[in-house]
Amino acid sequence: MALIAVPQPYDFDTSLDRFTFWGVDRANVWHDGGLHRVIAGRDVRITEAPGGVDAEPLDSAIEATVRKLLGLEFDLEAFHAFAQGEEVLAATVERFPGFRPPLAPDPFEALVSSITAQQVSLHAAFAVRSRFVDRFGEPAELAVAFPTRELVALATEEELMSLGFSRRKAEYVLGLARADLDLGGLAALSDAEVKTRLTALRGIGEWSADWFLARYLARPEAWPAGDLGLRKAVLAFYPEANDIRAAGARFHPFQNLSAHFLLLALRYR
DNA sequence: TACCAGGTAAAAA
DNA sequence: TTTTTACATGGT
């Protein structure tokens, strides 16, 4: 057995449906009831198991990445207690008691994914990103390793545009790949400092930086106020809200999980 | 066929 | 300083 314990209850399918809902993600492949992702060069199959998930193959490095991927660093128990004080959150937690938002395990992947999703529908973003993964990633058995920053740095604008990137977005991706910024090192900085460093990059605005805080760093207070989906969700459940950013204060200090549950509630409304 | 979709930077006013 | 524009793809 290669069990990784997950706090129960854990709703494997709902938590991971993000990887299939909007289209195919070649770096996170859903196949035969399990999620495949290349970790440390190996195709790892993650499936539901009593008390957690089964990951095969498994070693300590793979386990660390799977834990990150599944969002195990979120304190869901504390959030559930907090949610009791918010009618909308309480109802959503009751309906999806085992939902746990997954994360992007890699900072470059998180930022490139944000760039692909700027302005266009997530359906379109998934299609473009999957072509990008197939073109520049290292294939394993089922999944393809997300392209490395080093390899992408050698690409050309024309290559990226042939995959569906606009010229502007191709410039953003190349600029990010070639930038003199230690993406992994951002984890040591405060939310505000991370946003300052990221938004200094061309093509990374506040929206992208907020999602980086939320979906890569798992910062509890990240609140992507500029997000169209979150805007729709907040207005759907709090029609009186006229300022999405200000509405985030209501969910302090659990803005990140609140945003994820509001988006979940909207999706399954 | 149009129009919109989980933005951003640069130009124009 | 604030407002407007260009951008490429996929679904409806």
Side-chain angles (χ1 to χ4, degrees), chain A residues 10 15-16 18-19 25 28 35 37 64-74 99-107 109-110 113 129 210-220 222 256-257 260:
Chain A
Y10 181 52
S15 296
L16 300 183
R18 172 177 167 71
F19 293 117
D25 178 353
N28 299 282
L35 182 69
R37 178 180 171 91
T65 299
V66 171
R67 296 184 66 83
K68 174 92 180 169
L69 176 68
L70 301 184
L72 299 198
E73 56 198 291
F74 284 122
F99 175 74
R100 176 179 289 276
L103 298 177
D106 171 69
E109 177 175 352
S113 297
R129 185 180 54 170
D210 279 337
W211 275 124
F212 185 88
L213 289 172
R215 287 222 175 101
Y216 170 63
L217 293 176
R219 295 291 168 87
N256 188 355
L257 285 169
H260 278 96

Side-chain angles (χ1 to χ4, degrees), chain A residues 42-249:
Chain A
R42 310 177 69 181
D43 192 301
V44 179
R45 173 171 171 80
I46 303 165
T47 52
E48 190 170 19
V53 298
D54 190 71
E56 186 61 44
L58 182 63
D59 62 26
S60 58
I62 290 173
E63 173 165 354
T65 299
V66 171
R67 296 184 66 83
K68 174 92 180 169
L69 176 68
L70 301 184
L72 299 198
E73 56 198 291
F74 284 122
D75 186 352
L76 267 195
E77 192 176 346
F79 172 72
H80 283 190
F82 166 82
Q84 297 314 306
E86 268 303 321
E87 192 177 340
V88 175
L89 295 182
T92 308
V93 163
E94 184 176 14
R95 184 173 171 196
F96 300 102
F99 175 74
R100 176 179 289 276
L103 298 177
D106 171 69
F108 183 62
E109 177 175 352
L111 291 172
V112 171
S113 297
S114 281
I115 291 170
T116 63
Q118 288 168 8
Q119 157 65 21
V120 300
S121 69
L122 287 182
H123 282 113
F126 264 67
V128 171
R129 185 180 54 170
S130 258
R131 289 197 291 267
F132 170 79
V133 170
D134 272 329
R135 170 63 183 82
F136 292 105
E138 185 71 29
E141 289 172 47
L142 283 170
V144 178
F146 196 85
T148 64
R149 201 177 169 185
E150 293 71 23
L151 183 61
V152 175
L154 302 175
T156 66
E157 279 179 31
E158 284 67 28
E159 282 178 293
L160 292 173
M161 290 179 68
S162 73
L163 302 172
F165 287 83
S166 62
R167 178 170 298 281
R168 188 70 76 79
K169 287 187 182 180
E171 292 169 4
Y172 295 167
V173 170
L174 292 183
L176 169 66
R178 296 166 180 168
D180 180 23
L181 176 62
D182 173 13
L183 297 179
L186 294 172
L189 306 179
S190 69
D191 290 8
E193 188 61 27
V194 171
K195 285 181 74 162
T196 299
R197 301 280 179 95
L198 285 179
T199 55
L201 298 172
R202 185 163 171 271
I204 305 298
E206 187 170 30
W207 173 86
S208 300
D210 279 337
W211 275 124
F212 185 88
L213 289 172
R215 287 222 175 101
Y216 170 63
L217 293 176
R219 295 291 168 87
E221 298 174 27
W223 177 252
D227 185 81
L228 183 56
L230 183 57
R231 176 175 303 273
K232 285 190 289 193
V234 169
L235 292 176
F237 301 115
Y238 302 89
E240 73 284 4
N242 47 19
D243 182 330
I244 306 301
R245 183 165 301 289

